[in-house]
Every structure is written in C-alpha cells, then in structure tokens.
C-alpha cells in the first residue's frame, strides 16, 4: 500500500490528490514519525495531532496534515493485513477523507480538509467502518467500550442498521477477541429524546433511538446543525426548511429550545 494507491482507491478529489502527492514527494516524514506512530496509542493520539500541526506550521487547505494522515493510514494497512481484516473494511474506513472533503465543499463551496482532529482514529486503527456505521474502540476512564458513530452517508434504515451491528459483533469477536463482550455506546444528537415529538414513531431515527438505554441527556451543542442542515452557519433564521425534521427543529430552536448530545448504551 502507498499513498497514491490509497488516494485512488478512496476516490480522493483530483485537485486534492495532486496537492497531496506533490507534498508527499517533497516532505521528509522522518521529522513527524514520532507523532504518526503515536496515533496508534489511543491516549496519545490527540496530543500527537496537536504536535503534528505545530511541526507542519502554515498549512493552506490543511493539505500537509491531510497527507500525514493518509501516510499514517497507509502505515496502518500492515496491521489490517496481520489481523486478516479485509480490504473492503480498510477502504470503506478510509473513504472518510473523501467524504469529509465533499461535505465541507457542499457547505462552503471550497475543497479543503477540516476534520484532522477526528481522523487520528482511522489512521491510528481505532475506528472501523462496518457496513452502514462506524465503530470506535474507545478508552473511557480505564474502560474500553465500542462507540457507535453514524456517518453522513449511512443508510439508516432498521434492517441495514441490524446488519451492521451483527457484522460489527462478529468483527470484534474475530479480530479483537478481548473485546467480544464489550458494551456498545453512542453519544449523538440523534439520541435526543425530544426529537421523537418532531418525528413519526416509525421514523429511522426513532427506531435507532429505541435500540439504546439513554442514561444521560447530554450537553447542549450546535454542531448537529452541520449534519441536519448541511451548513456551517448558525444563523437560525436562515436555516433551510426542506424536510419536516428541518422545519420542526428550526421552529424548536427559534422558540428557545435546544438539542442535546445524549448518551446511550445499546440494549
């Protein structure tokens, strides 16, 4: 595996791919090898990302740090192979880069990489895309859990979620046997019970919520606006109203309501 092959396999945008390869071919990765290796250590990956940014300095469109993330993702391929994890899961996982850049382009009209604070998980081998959903091996207060994430392009229908959950259970049983009995959690605005008043009881979101025991209503946060309204603007008056959920949530926010990132444990 090499960076060019990875870029081609994940259909990285041609303009971005050219910049990545240009930087890759002219950069001495020895000066960031410590930081890239520390992506492999869950407790160190965040600090390693911050250190990496400081070393790289000015970074137009974050091409430098994207290239480093892709280099780490190439390096982690050997871990996949040693464990016997399929190329399908590897490439599905790494398509996050292309998806994130597309999402940002749709919201801003610019092609650039803004999710470097997140992709240490993929490039460090802590998060896997298995079917519709993503699963992160997460360390919380000396306990390891599986944290479920919902990608923006996920098919959220109950049968597809069922399939993903079943495949994930088999995945961790086979490749991370020490995690075969681990608990599955989710921390997301999609678990805010208040959404049930805005949705049909048969909606995919309500079906997803009902899979979880909500043990903490969570914190108020506005990041969900990106995923629901496809914009980085927080001007509530200008939020689109193209779907019933958008209309209902917008009305809720304008009347002083909030959306919380709730915490749930898979039943």
């Amino acid at each position: 595996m090499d960076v060019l092959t990875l870029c081609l396999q994940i259909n990285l945008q041609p303009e971005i791919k050219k910049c990545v390869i240009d930087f890759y071919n002219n950069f001495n990765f020895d000066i960031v090898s410590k930081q890239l290796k520390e992506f492999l250590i869950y407790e160190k990956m965040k600090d390693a990302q911050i250190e990496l940014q400081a070393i790289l300095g000015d970074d137009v469109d974050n091409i430098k740090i994207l290239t480093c993330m892709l280099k780490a993702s190439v390096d982690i391929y050997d871990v996949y192979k040693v464990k016997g994890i399929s190329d399908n899961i590897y490439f599905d996982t790494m398509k996050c880069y292309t998806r994130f850049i597309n999402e940002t382009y749709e919201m801003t009209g610019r092609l650039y990489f803004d999710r470097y604070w997140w992709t240490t998980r993929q490039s460090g081998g802590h998060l896997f895309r298995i079917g519709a959903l993503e699963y992160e091996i997460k360390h919380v207060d000396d306990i390891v859990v599986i944290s479920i994430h919902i990608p923006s392009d996920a098919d959220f229908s109950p049968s597809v979620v069922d399939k993903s959950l079943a495949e994930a259970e088999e995945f961790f049983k086979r490749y991370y046997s020490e995690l075969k009995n681990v608990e599955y959690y989710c921390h997301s605005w999609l678990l805010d019970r208040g959404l049930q008043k805005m949705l049909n009881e048969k909606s995919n979101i309500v079906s997803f919520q009902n899979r979880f025991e909500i043990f903490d209503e969570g914190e108020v946060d506005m990041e969900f606006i990106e995923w629901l309204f496809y914009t980085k603007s927080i001007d509530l008056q200008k939020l689109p109203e193209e779907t019933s959920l958008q209309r209902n949530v917008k009305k809720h926010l304008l009347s002083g309501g909030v959306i919380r990132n709730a915490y749930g444990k898979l039943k």
Side-chain angles (χ1 to χ4, degrees):
M1 183 60 59
D2 56 48
V3 169
L4 177 58
T5 299
L6 177 57
C7 289
L8 293 171
Q9 288 291 332
I10 65 175
N11 296 314
L12 197 68
Q13 295 82 357
E15 304 95 320
I16 298 294
K17 181 183 70 176
K18 181 181 184 304
C19 294
V20 163
I21 298 304
D22 286 348
F23 179 72
Y24 179 81
N25 288 334
N26 293 283
F27 182 66
N28 178 10
F29 283 93
D30 289 342
I31 66 175
V32 297
S33 62
K34 171 181 176 289
Q35 287 72 32
L36 299 191
K37 287 177 182 176
E38 287 183 348
F39 287 176
L40 297 166
I41 304 169
Y42 195 89
E43 292 79 6
K44 292 186 176 182
M45 66 179 180
K46 183 176 180 180
D47 287 341
Q49 174 252 303
I50 293 170
E51 291 174 12
L52 177 61
Q53 278 186 283
I55 293 169
L56 295 173
D58 291 341
D59 192 358
V60 177
D61 294 336
N62 295 317
I63 293 297
K64 295 178 184 180
I65 198 165
L66 169 61
T67 307
C68 289
M69 292 289 179
L70 291 167
K71 172 66 166 61
S73 297
V74 165
D75 294 343
I76 203 70
Y77 181 73
D78 289 340
V79 175
Y80 276 70
K81 290 297 95 183
V82 168
K83 284 183 171 292
I85 301 171
S86 73
D87 280 0
N88 283 342
I89 288 179
Y90 174 78
F91 289 121
D92 283 351
T93 299
M94 300 310 169
K95 284 176 183 176
C96 65
Y97 296 105
T98 311
R99 184 175 77 251
F100 292 156
I101 294 169
N102 279 336
E103 288 170 358
T104 303
Y105 178 74
E106 290 170 6
M107 287 186 274
T108 68
R110 279 183 55 221
L111 277 175
Y112 68 100
F113 178 61
D114 68 351
R115 230 63 67 83
Y116 50 83
W117 53 271
W118 181 257
T119 52
T120 50
R121 292 161 174 80
Q122 287 88 343
S123 59
H126 308 292
L127 182 151
F128 304 91
R129 176 78 182 255
I130 304 172
L133 305 177
E134 292 175 330
Y135 301 85
E136 176 187 356
I137 303 172
K138 188 171 184 175
H139 299 204
V140 182
D141 299 328
D142 297 324
I143 298 173
V144 177
V145 302
I146 302 299
S147 182
I148 300 172
H149 303 290
I150 305 97
S152 61
D153 63 346
D155 181 341
F156 212 39
S157 57
S159 61
V160 175
V161 172
D162 283 343
K163 186 172 186 290
S164 176
L165 290 170
E167 289 176 352
E169 183 179 8
E170 181 61 30
F171 174 89
F172 289 109
K173 187 183 299 183
R174 177 178 300 178
Y175 302 116
Y176 294 87
S177 58
E178 70 277 16
L179 303 178
K180 63 183 178 181
N181 296 317
V182 75
E183 293 184 320
Y184 288 65
Y185 288 80
C186 186
H187 176 212
S188 174
W189 69 277
L190 289 166
L191 296 185
D192 187 327
R193 290 296 196 194
L195 294 175
Q196 294 197 6
K197 301 174 184 176
M198 310 176 202
L199 293 162
N200 183 291
E201 63 180 11
K202 294 183 179 180
S203 79
N204 291 339
I205 292 176
V206 172
S207 172
F208 186 75
Q209 286 190 359
N210 288 338
R211 298 175 186 270
F212 293 86
E213 171 194 339
I214 308 300
F215 61 87
D216 188 333
E217 67 177 8
E219 68 282 358
V220 176
D221 191 83
M222 298 297 281
E223 283 189 3
F224 79 93
I225 285 178
E226 285 193 28
W227 319 124
L228 177 57
F229 295 98
Y230 312 110
T231 178
K232 290 183 178 290
S233 171
I234 56 172
D235 185 338
L236 301 183
Q237 294 288 351
K238 294 182 179 179
L239 294 178
E241 301 181 37
E242 297 174 3
T243 68
S244 60
L245 183 57
Q246 286 180 342
R247 290 190 292 274
N248 289 335
V249 170
K250 180 177 179 178
K251 181 179 178 181
H252 175 69
L253 294 174
L254 287 171
S255 66
V258 298
I259 298 294
R260 295 179 176 274
N261 285 328
Y263 295 80
K265 181 171 70 173
L266 195 66
K267 294 176 182 176

